[in-house]
């Protein structure tokens, strides 16, 4: 039996057509990317198939460095995430790092409800820590909107985690120009929302964090 099923063959067919079209429209596009990548942006997002970093920001190959995992979590002991962030900040010198959550995140929902889904339960425990830290805030929100609120709180907390990493702390100490942002993407409308937790240096994180958490509590729903 041919190991290439029709659906996989289609992917290769689309790929050849895409590469040919890119080269026809902009000769030298691919060879120009061979020497180096110089992305200005690093995207830390959820693995969810409905949240394609390049597509929804109009960024092309070479323009955004991407790290994705279940529910866009950045843990201080996660060498995968930290190595990726370090490469982006220290080698590629990206100017913006964005942590991007999304409404309707099934990882966040599972964490909120304490659902058992398997190995990922241990990963989602980090989001349950976020939930527990803000339990009274969450309790004050109508049940149908609690998942959206936890998505937003999780983004704010993960921005803090990235800001407190040695990579960003050292970059800012060196005076490197790199900003950290927290966004939430709506899979229902395709729009990005800025959580207003843009961090540009070693100072001022605390009041911004408080204001952002407060805005989640007071958001009209
Ligand atoms: Co998700």
């Amino acid at each position: 039996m041919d190991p290439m099923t029709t659906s996989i063959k289609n992917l290769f067919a689309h790929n050849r057509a895409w590469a040919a079209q890119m080269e026809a429209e902009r000769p030298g596009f691919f060879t120009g990317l061979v020497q180096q990548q110089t992305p200005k942006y690093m995207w830390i997002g959820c693995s969810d198939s409905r949240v394609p970093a390049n597509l929804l920001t109009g960024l092309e190959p070479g323009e955004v460095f991407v790290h994705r995992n279940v529910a866009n979590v950045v843990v201080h002991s996660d060498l995968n995430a930290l190595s990726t962030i370090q490469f982006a900040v220290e080698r590629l010198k990206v100017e913006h790092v964005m942590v991007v959550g999304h409404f309707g995140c099934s990882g966040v929902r599972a964490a909120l409800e304490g659902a058992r889904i398997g190995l990922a339960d241990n990963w989602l425990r980090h989001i349950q820590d976020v939930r527990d830290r803000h339990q009274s805030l969450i309790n004050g929100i109508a049940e149908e909107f609690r998942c959206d609120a936890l998505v937003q709180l999780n983004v704010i907390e993960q921005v803090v985690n990235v800001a407190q990493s040695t990579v960003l702390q050292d970059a800012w100490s060196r005076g490197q120009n790199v900003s950290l942002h927290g966004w939430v993407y709506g899979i229902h409308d395709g729009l990005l929302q800025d959580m207003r937790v843009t961090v540009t240096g070693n100072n001022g994180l605390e009041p911004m964090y408080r204001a952002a958490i407060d805005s989640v509590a007071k958001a009209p729903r």
Side-chain angles (χ1 to χ4, degrees), residues 71-72 99-105 108 127 130-131 134 137-138 141 145-160 182-186 188 192-197 209 212-221:
N72 43 273
V99 176
V100 188
H102 68 99
F103 293 125
C105 184
V108 170
I127 299 174
V130 175
R131 175 198 66 184
H134 301 287
L137 186 164
I138 290 169
I141 291 173
F145 300 118
R146 285 179 187 170
C147 187
D148 288 351
L150 186 53
V151 164
Q152 294 174 315
L153 293 170
N154 183 47
V155 163
I156 296 166
E157 293 289 346
Q158 303 312 325
V159 165
V160 170
W183 299 346
V184 174
Y185 174 74
H188 59 288
L192 287 166
Q193 176 189 349
D194 183 7
M195 291 307 299
R196 297 173 187 275
V197 277
Y209 170 81
I213 297 291
D214 212 38
S215 75
V216 175
K218 291 177 179 156
R221 297 178 195 278

Side-chain angles (χ1 to χ4, degrees), residues 45-51 69-72 100-108 151:
C46 182
S47 298
D48 194 301
S49 63
R50 296 165 295 182
V51 194
N69 60 37
V70 173
N72 43 273
V100 188
H102 68 99
F103 293 125
C105 184
S106 50
V108 170
V151 164

